[in-house]
Amino acid sequence: MTWQSVQEEVLNRIRNGTWPEGELIPTEAELAAEFSCARATVNRALQALAQSGVLERRRKVGTRVAAHPRVQAVRFLLRREIEAAGKVYGYTLLDYRQQHPPADIAQAMLLHSEELLLRIRSRFTADGALYCCEERWVNDFAAPGLTREALQHLSPCEWLLGHVPVNRGSMAMAATLASEGFVSEAMGLAPEAPVLMMERMDWLDNMPISLTRSYYPEEHRMTATI
């Protein structure tokens, strides 16, 4: 059993209520025996979930489910998606600036067009090959500390997961063309090339935190476990 498989099983048990918030989960040794894998494999899975805010780990106490664990947010981490496929994850910050959003973005974020948002553009690779590019609009009032320096080696999604208790979201998908904004240049595609666009909106209660549009090559295949 791989560490990604262990991680997925832990997430499933938290999501279905087998391990509720605040509950101590079995020890690494117990989980290793249950899953018939090395204790180091379990350790890697639990450490990754602790870094993502799903678990809390304390020496001589154990590992427990965090209050309000952000299970679904972890499921949408590109790092996790790429590494689960057995590939090397890569991330590059392309652009970071504060600017007035387009009307549709402002409307979705419940703001006026004259208000400022952070616009962050990134590119992700798998084994060095393009995986997708992303444009994220962030309400920086709700995300103080999200600086250019903070994003040099950590994606916006990972930073927000560690600093903002996002508790709900929505998703939509559509086909579009690479001529959309910066996509053609970032992906090395002709403007008329078709791409898959995934849009995700993240909220903290009734406050929109970020709106993200991720663009994938036309051959990209998306899978989900239900």
Side-chain angles (χ1 to χ4, degrees):
M1 196 172 194
T2 66
W3 72 268
Q4 293 97 332
S5 300
V6 173
Q7 188 181 72
E8 187 64 33
E9 180 57 31
V10 172
L11 288 171
N12 284 336
R13 293 185 186 186
I14 294 172
R15 183 182 61 171
N16 64 26
T18 301
W19 294 338
E21 294 179 22
E23 179 168 311
L24 284 170
I25 71 171
T27 65
E28 288 183 5
E30 290 170 335
L31 290 174
E34 178 184 350
F35 298 143
S36 300
C37 65
R39 182 170 173 175
T41 302
V42 174
N43 177 267
R44 183 175 180 185
L46 299 187
Q47 282 294 104
L49 290 175
Q51 292 169 3
S52 299
V54 174
L55 299 175
E56 295 176 351
R57 312 196 77 193
R58 294 184 182 178
R59 289 188 58 139
K60 299 183 180 180
V61 175
T63 301
R64 69 175 68 248
V65 180
H68 311 297
R70 286 163 275 172
V71 173
Q72 293 307 323
V74 173
R75 290 181 183 277
F76 291 104
L77 280 176
L78 281 169
R79 180 191 295 273
R80 183 174 179 275
E81 185 178 309
I82 291 169
E83 291 182 344
K87 298 183 178 181
V88 176
Y89 164 87
Y91 155 76
T92 303
L93 175 66
L94 300 176
D95 190 40
Y96 171 101
R97 66 183 63 194
Q98 194 173 57
Q99 71 174 61
H100 300 292
D104 61 325
I105 300 292
Q107 182 177 10
M109 300 275 298
L110 307 181
L111 298 172
H112 298 294
S113 294
E114 63 269 19
E115 297 184 73
L116 294 172
L117 290 174
L118 282 180
R119 192 200 71 188
I120 303 164
R121 291 174 172 175
S122 312
R123 180 170 50 231
F124 298 85
T125 59
D127 281 350
L130 174 73
Y131 191 78
C132 74
C133 66
E134 173 186 289
E135 181 174 77
R136 183 182 292 260
W137 295 85
V138 181
N139 180 347
D140 54 342
F141 173 80
L146 182 56
T147 63
R148 178 186 294 273
E149 290 70 29
L151 298 177
Q152 289 304 316
H153 304 290
L154 196 66
S155 74
C157 183
E158 291 175 306
W159 189 95
L160 289 168
L161 184 61
H163 294 81
V164 182
V166 171
N167 52 23
R168 66 186 179 97
S170 60
M171 296 185 67
M173 287 185 283
T176 186
L177 299 177
S179 55
E180 176 96 8
F182 75 115
V183 176
S184 176
E185 180 178 355
M187 299 182 72
L189 298 174
E192 66 275 10
V195 293
L196 174 66
M197 186 271 287
M198 176 180 289
E199 181 176 283
R200 178 175 174 85
M201 187 81 171
D202 291 304
W203 300 72
L204 171 57
D205 298 325
N206 293 320
M207 179 187 295
I209 301 299
S210 72
L211 188 151
T212 308
R213 288 174 177 167
S214 303
Y215 300 88
Y216 298 82
E218 62 174 323
E219 67 273 12
H220 183 78
R221 179 181 176 85
M222 304 196 73
T223 59
T225 302
I226 301 176

